[in-house]
Amino acid sequence: MIGKLKGTIDSFAEDSIVLDVHGVGYVVQCSAKTLGALPAAGEAVVLSIETQVREDAIRLFGFRTDQEREWFRLLQTVQGVGAKVALGILSVLDGGALATAIGTQDKAAVARAPGVGPKLAARIVAELKDKAPGLGSLDPALVRLAGAVEDRTAPKPVADAVSALVNLGYAQAQASAAVAAALKNGGEGVEAPQLIRLGLRELAR
């Protein structure tokens, strides 16, 4: 199995590159975020590789980091997520954003990916909550607050503040993070209007 390739980018396609390694051209499929971060044709690059062997083909998938490759593998443990959908998710959310979305149960963020409907997004965030890399770096207070908002067990001022920020156009994860920070700064007993003001201040930073 191929785990890493170092070579020169020969050419780009819509969702792949041809990587020249000592005169052999490997077709490597990549997420949109990976493609956008690669250097120009003719430049050298090193990619972590996931090899998938099927009866009719051998496919190579390339990633900038080992963590991104781990996400690709992990996403496919969820029923209904194949290689194409996993790459689509990684095209919309990088590892950090995906960890935050899963940790805060932000189904809407995951559902932005092509081929991911609300039901599949819900399954992804539910099944990967305890498995996802990078969740250990999330603020536990943020995870608890996001879970409480999701379960409708959060105090009314907190739920109202998160809802208000979402209505202003912020993503659920952004709103939850801002309100979690506002709670830290304002202390317990803060009412919704003040949480909204403090939350907006956090989002403006």
Side-chain angles (χ1 to χ4, degrees):
M1 292 293 179
I2 298 172
K4 183 175 81 170
L5 285 174
K6 180 179 181 180
T8 303
I9 297 176
D10 181 87
S11 59
F12 285 87
E14 184 180 352
D15 61 354
S16 64
I17 63 169
V18 173
L19 188 64
D20 186 324
V21 182
H22 302 302
V24 179
Y26 293 91
V27 177
V28 183
Q29 291 183 263
C30 305
S31 71
K33 283 189 176 295
T34 294
L35 288 172
L38 292 178
E43 299 289 327
V45 71
V46 179
L47 291 175
S48 293
I49 299 293
E50 177 72 4
T51 307
Q52 289 191 351
V53 180
R54 299 287 184 264
E55 289 184 4
D56 57 345
I58 297 175
R59 300 166 71 193
L60 303 179
F61 299 89
F63 308 94
R64 290 171 294 166
T65 65
D66 290 341
Q67 187 196 47
E68 187 184 15
R69 181 177 62 186
E70 184 60 28
W71 272 115
F72 179 71
R73 292 172 175 169
L74 194 60
L75 284 164
Q76 290 178 83
T77 65
V78 178
Q79 183 183 357
V81 179
K84 183 177 181 180
V85 171
L87 273 189
I89 293 170
L90 292 171
S91 292
V92 172
L93 301 168
D94 61 22
L98 188 51
T100 299
I102 291 171
T104 59
Q105 297 291 282
D106 187 358
K107 300 183 287 291
V110 180
R112 287 177 15 228
V116 180
K119 288 184 178 179
L120 182 55
R123 192 183 308 145
I124 289 168
V125 298
E127 292 188 17
L128 299 187
K129 189 172 184 181
D130 298 323
K131 303 176 185 176
L135 293 187
S137 62
L138 290 182
D139 185 342
L142 168 58
V143 175
R144 284 195 302 272
L145 182 141
V149 170
E150 179 70 21
D151 299 337
R152 293 185 170 85
T153 58
K156 191 171 188 306
V158 171
D160 288 348
V162 172
S163 177
L165 294 178
V166 169
N167 289 337
L168 287 172
Y170 294 101
Q172 179 85 25
Q174 284 180 300
S176 295
V179 173
L183 275 174
K184 278 186 178 180
N185 295 332
E188 296 298 325
V190 182
E191 292 301 316
Q194 188 177 356
L195 284 175
I196 295 168
R197 285 196 300 273
L198 290 171
L200 287 170
R201 194 176 301 164
E202 290 292 330
L203 289 165
R205 288 185 176 183

